[in-house]
Amino acid sequence: MTSLSHRRFLRASAALFTGVLLAACGKAPEPAPAPAPAPQAAAPAPAPAPVKVYTVGTDAAYAPFESQNEKGEIVGFSVDLLNAIAAKAGIEVKFVNTPWEGIFNSLQQGDRDLLISSITITDERKQTMDFSDPYFDAHQLIAVPEKSKVAKFDDLKKLKVGVQTGTTGDEVVTKLLGKTNTNVKRFESTPLALKELEAGGVDAVVADNGVVINYVANHPTAKFRTINDPAFEPEQYGIAVKKGNTELLEKINKGLAEIRADGTYDRIYAQHFGEKK
């Protein structure tokens, strides 16, 4: 090998060595990024808790407080009032026509959660149920034929008197005439007692003033007159709940207070009875 060829060989070898050395010192290629995990399906939203609907017992034969219209719907002052209370209290209610004779048992047995049926708050009833704050002032009223000579409650002592079974009217008449007196004639509802008065089967009817006034106004051909005796004690209606159900009672009282404060109560009252005097 000539010296020229030898030099060329050395240069080529050096270049090759340098390339190998540079390749060995270079950065390793970066690994490819891992694929992103597949998105997980969102967990289904929990089903909303079922809304508690409170069943309300009412004897729908007591206009203008609670009665049935031509469609069979329960309507009246009590219905409008409790619906307004429920809206304020954040609860739902469902009205069920419940005969008066079994209405208190339906509450005690748990078939009804609430009762609103022109129920007078009495000490005796407080022993077996709890009452809301009063929502209506009432008293007993006597209905007689237009030509009757009755002028006061005591005049009924020797007459046949119609009452609704188990009401405060029944209580006061029974006290006046005596527990065993057959002249106390009991009916399933006050309107039935008043129909019997119209037919001449009884001489007088004693019942809550609101119902008597409404009946007389809507039956002018019956030709009744009414007698307000000061001997009758003032009464107040309340909404009844099962004894010890303080949670529901607090909701009802809260709603009642709110509709009194914002004028809703007065509007409902005026709709059914006219403006308060």
Side-chain angles (χ1 to χ4, degrees):
M1 180 182 291
T2 63
S3 63
L4 177 60
S5 297
H6 181 69
R7 287 196 297 272
R8 287 178 178 172
F9 173 77
L10 290 175
R11 285 197 297 271
S13 296
L16 178 61
F17 176 77
T18 303
V20 172
L21 183 62
L22 290 173
C25 295
K27 293 183 178 179
E30 296 182 359
Q40 295 181 350
V51 176
K52 165 71 174 175
V53 179
Y54 293 94
T55 303
V56 182
T58 187
D59 181 15
Y62 222 59
F65 294 94
E66 47 270 337
S67 62
Q68 287 183 296
N69 62 18
E70 57 278 0
K71 296 180 181 178
E73 299 166 330
I74 300 176
V75 297
F77 171 76
S78 301
V79 177
D80 293 344
L81 182 78
L82 188 52
N83 278 329
I85 290 171
K88 294 290 188 182
I91 63 175
E92 292 188 23
V93 293
K94 176 182 70 173
F95 294 86
V96 179
N97 191 9
T98 308
W100 179 262
E101 288 187 2
I103 200 167
F104 298 125
N105 282 337
S106 73
L107 181 67
Q108 292 173 2
Q109 293 171 3
D111 297 326
R112 304 289 183 269
D113 300 302
L114 294 161
L115 301 179
I116 185 167
S117 195
S118 306
I119 303 170
T120 301
I121 301 170
T122 67
D123 290 337
E124 182 180 358
R125 289 172 180 166
K126 283 181 180 180
Q127 294 177 15
T128 56
M129 65 195 78
D130 289 333
F131 283 99
S132 70
D133 296 332
Y135 69 84
F136 192 86
D137 295 328
H139 58 81
Q140 296 302 301
L141 193 65
I142 304 168
V144 293
E146 220 170 36
K147 296 181 180 180
S148 172
K149 294 181 180 180
V150 172
K152 59 185 182 300
F153 186 45
D154 278 350
D155 292 341
L156 303 181
K157 285 183 177 179
K158 296 182 179 180
L159 301 179
K160 294 179 181 178
V161 185
V163 297
Q164 181 177 352
T165 302
T167 61
T168 46
D170 186 356
E171 291 176 10
V172 297
V173 170
T174 298
K175 186 176 180 180
L176 178 70
L177 274 64
K179 289 184 179 180
T180 60
N181 196 323
T182 56
N183 279 340
V184 182
K185 305 297 182 182
R186 296 178 175 86
F187 299 85
E188 291 183 4
S189 71
T190 297
L192 286 177
L194 290 164
K195 286 182 183 297
E196 187 67 9
L197 178 63
E198 190 173 355
V202 294
D203 301 305
V205 167
V206 177
D208 288 10
N209 60 315
V211 181
V212 173
I213 290 170
N214 180 77
Y215 189 95
V216 171
N218 287 284
H219 296 80
T221 58
K223 296 183 179 180
F224 292 155
R225 64 183 177 87
T226 59
I227 302 161
N228 185 9
D229 194 310
F232 293 132
E233 294 183 3
E235 300 176 10
Q236 292 180 311
Y237 295 161
I239 301 165
V241 303
K242 194 171 184 177
K243 194 74 175 173
N245 193 348
T246 54
E247 181 181 355
L248 179 55
L249 194 63
E250 287 173 0
K251 291 178 180 179
I252 295 300
N253 281 334
K254 178 177 179 292
L256 177 57
E258 289 186 14
I259 67 168
R260 284 190 183 279
D262 69 9
T264 301
Y265 179 95
D266 290 338
R267 289 193 292 272
I268 295 172
Y269 185 98
Q271 178 184 346
H272 294 277
F273 303 104
E275 297 291 340
K276 286 186 176 182
K277 297 179 181 179

